[in-house]
Amino acid sequence: MAVKVGMVSLGCSKNQVDAERLLALIVHDGFEICANPAECDVVIINTCGFIEDAKKESIENILEFCEMKRMGQVKVIVVTGCLAERYREELVREIPEADVVLGIGSNFDIADAVRRALDGQKVAEFGEKTELSMNGDRVLTTPNYSVYLKIAEGCDNRCSYCAIPLIRGRFRSRPMEEVIAEAKDLAAHGAKELNLIAQDTTRYGDDLYGEYKLAELLRELCKIDGLHWIRVLYGYPDRITDELLDVMATEEKIVKYIDLPLQHANKRVLRAMNRGGDYESLLALMKRIREKVPGIALRTTLIAGFPGETQEEFNQMCDFVQEVKFERLGCFAYSVEEDTPAGEMDCQLDEETKRHRAEIVMEQQMDIAFELGRSLIGKTLEVLVESYDFDNLMYVGRSAMDAPDIDTKICFTAARELKMGDFVQVEILDSEGYDLIGREVEELE
């Protein structure tokens, strides 16, 4: 009987793609994938180690499966991902119940490590970060019609609050031919929405070709049959070129949406974060993007309570949010990270102040989002069908201005049976908080 292996993958979509490659390696080695980790012989916990809350969630998951192992429900526990890469010796020492601890550079050894653990060995391997493969097969954990495509790994931005360069290493792009080949394969297997991800998508190609190549990559991806939406996530404001905006404006397959984590709007705070820009330049950038790509949905994330942030500096960030009126926005309380310059700063704010300031921004954004929702009543949007709500007898989907998992949903009725992954035209009839209510009005050609 085949050994059953389950996976719990935590954190971001970039980590999720790594998990999908791990699953493919497991399958190729003859193991059986089990959807319910609690019913498996082996459980792989692909951890996140980005901020404190994510680390806590990872530890809680590990300890939960350690308890299941003590009860005889699980034979082998494998820990990999960012937490394993960042806290190598600590995990091995503090959680001896973990049979395998792999750094991201040893992901390719996953199947062999599992077999050794099943034979009673303890395995702890930490290859070079650059050995993390961005190529190879994947076992998709998303619906096949909406997938993530990782185009680069690592980061060189060195933002003072961020541990990603410590965990993931230097920025490195995938060769364009590899990215295009994977995109074609995903499209051949039913992908209609392609979500491009990296720590910094807008820097794509700089290390390989000596210049930014995201615009060229997008043009090539638009030539692939079967793809309907192509979305750009995790960009960097300093690298938004006119060429990129021109491609976004003219290529029909590229959704009018861009995710640019700006983090703040005050010049002093941004410099303390080791980031460029200021209130005026970022405001001008948002204006330029909207002028060159009419109808674009702007998404950003902000950090409240960065070390030394004064009330005046925080207020300027709030003014910026109010002036730009982002279509989508998330704000997070600053999290102290070990071994980062910001974590060593003396002027740390107390947790209550940080949380309160983040809540203020989110309340501010809530009013903006609700106003935007009301402005869409009476309009017709193209919607990707994702599920059916049997309680309310309505389909649930997303418009082009909504990324998977993080943005607004559209609930709508239809006079015919729809399939998940269909694109339909939906007239918006009402808004309820962040979400929209509508009805299908016609079938797309």
Side-chain angles (χ1 to χ4, degrees), residues 82-336:
C82 290
L83 195 76
E85 177 64 33
R86 190 174 182 189
Y87 299 103
R88 303 174 172 190
E89 293 79 11
E90 293 94 326
L91 276 175
V92 173
R93 182 178 62 249
E94 299 295 334
I95 308 181
E97 297 90 344
D99 304 279
V100 178
V101 180
L102 294 182
I104 61 172
S106 294
N107 275 3
F108 60 89
D109 282 335
I110 184 73
D112 179 65
V114 168
R115 291 202 179 279
R116 290 159 60 192
L118 287 167
D119 287 338
Q121 298 182 45
K122 289 283 186 179
V123 181
E125 295 181 355
F126 306 97
E128 291 295 325
K129 296 175 177 65
T130 52
E131 294 299 314
L132 174 65
S133 176
M134 291 183 277
N135 236 354
D137 293 339
R138 294 161 58 184
V139 173
L140 294 180
T141 56
T142 62
N144 70 321
Y145 55 79
S146 177
V147 298
Y148 294 104
L149 180 61
K150 188 190 287 192
I151 64 173
E153 182 56 82
C155 188
D156 289 346
N157 291 332
R158 299 286 172 179
C159 299
S160 66
Y161 52 82
C162 183
I164 289 298
L166 300 174
I167 301 171
R168 292 277 170 172
R170 298 292 302 272
F171 181 86
R172 49 200 185 277
S173 303
R174 295 177 68 186
M176 192 175 298
E177 58 270 21
E178 286 185 7
V179 177
I180 294 168
E182 182 175 0
K184 288 180 177 178
D185 183 66
L186 290 167
H189 287 86
K192 299 178 181 179
E193 179 185 35
L194 207 58
N195 300 286
L196 302 193
I197 55 173
Q199 303 299 338
D200 178 358
T201 52
T202 44
R203 191 180 177 182
Y204 174 76
D206 183 39
D207 56 320
L208 290 181
Y209 309 111
E211 59 183 325
Y212 303 144
K213 287 285 190 176
L214 180 58
E216 182 179 335
L217 175 63
L218 288 170
R219 287 195 199 94
E220 294 302 314
L221 293 174
C222 287
K223 298 175 184 177
I224 298 175
D225 292 337
L227 295 180
H228 190 75
W229 283 354
I230 300 173
R231 185 183 306 277
V232 178
L233 298 169
Y234 310 121
Y236 197 78
D238 294 2
R239 302 188 178 101
I240 301 300
T241 64
D242 284 341
E243 181 188 15
L244 175 61
L245 296 178
D246 288 342
V247 171
M248 296 186 74
T250 56
E251 291 284 358
E252 290 186 2
K253 290 184 178 182
I254 303 175
V255 296
K256 305 302 182 280
Y257 175 108
I258 190 165
D259 173 44
L260 290 175
L262 301 179
Q263 312 305 3
H264 215 281
N266 175 265
K267 181 176 181 178
R268 190 205 66 80
V269 175
L270 286 166
R271 295 303 175 276
M273 291 178 168
N274 196 31
R275 294 176 67 93
D278 54 32
Y279 190 102
E280 290 75 19
S281 67
L282 292 176
L283 199 62
L285 174 61
M286 299 303 105
K287 182 179 179 182
R288 179 165 69 94
I289 293 172
R290 283 187 166 145
E291 286 176 348
K292 292 188 74 69
V293 191
I296 193 169
L298 295 175
R299 188 179 214 288
T300 197
T301 51
L302 301 171
I303 296 174
F306 188 79
E309 180 190 64
T310 66
Q311 185 64 50
E312 183 180 1
E313 290 166 343
F314 171 71
N315 290 343
Q316 187 176 40
M317 183 168 71
C318 292
D319 291 343
F320 181 75
V321 170
Q322 194 61 46
E323 188 158 2
V324 175
K325 295 189 185 301
F326 292 94
E327 282 75 13
R328 306 288 181 255
L329 180 147
C331 184
F332 303 92
Y334 167 73
S335 173
V336 177

